[in-house]
Amino acid sequence: SGKFNLSWTSITEGTVGVRIFSLTGTQVYGDDAAINNAEVDLSGLPAGMYVMHILKDGVRSMKRVVLQE
């Protein structure tokens, strides 16, 4: 469906930044103040692989997001 929730178990010292990019580097989603259990809606995007960048407590991590038809 292209919808999912962001959640984390540890206490956060500040805001959590989330950005999602296509494999060509185009940003398709961004939230500089994501909250725990926030819903992300990518249903308007085509099926394929995307990369999610998360900045939490000064630590940057990346996760793969796969949208299926």
Side-chain angles (χ1 to χ4, degrees), residues 47-50 64-68:
M49 188 178 308
Y50 297 84
R64 183 174 44 195
V65 176
V66 179
L67 297 181
Q68 299 178 340

Side-chain angles (χ1 to χ4, degrees), residues 5-64:
N5 288 351
L6 296 173
S7 63
W8 46 89
T9 56
S10 61
I11 296 172
T12 303
E13 296 275 328
T15 60
V16 176
V18 177
R19 298 194 186 288
I20 300 176
F21 297 89
S22 69
L23 292 183
T24 61
T26 302
Q27 182 176 317
V28 297
Y29 177 86
D31 187 349
D32 289 328
I35 59 172
N36 200 5
N37 291 317
E39 182 179 74
V40 175
D41 185 357
L42 302 179
S43 60
L45 296 176
M49 188 178 308
Y50 297 84
V51 179
M52 179 167 49
H53 292 231
I54 304 160
L55 181 61
K56 180 176 174 280
D57 296 332
V59 177
R60 184 177 307 274
S61 59
M62 293 190 318
K63 301 289 182 187
R64 183 174 44 195

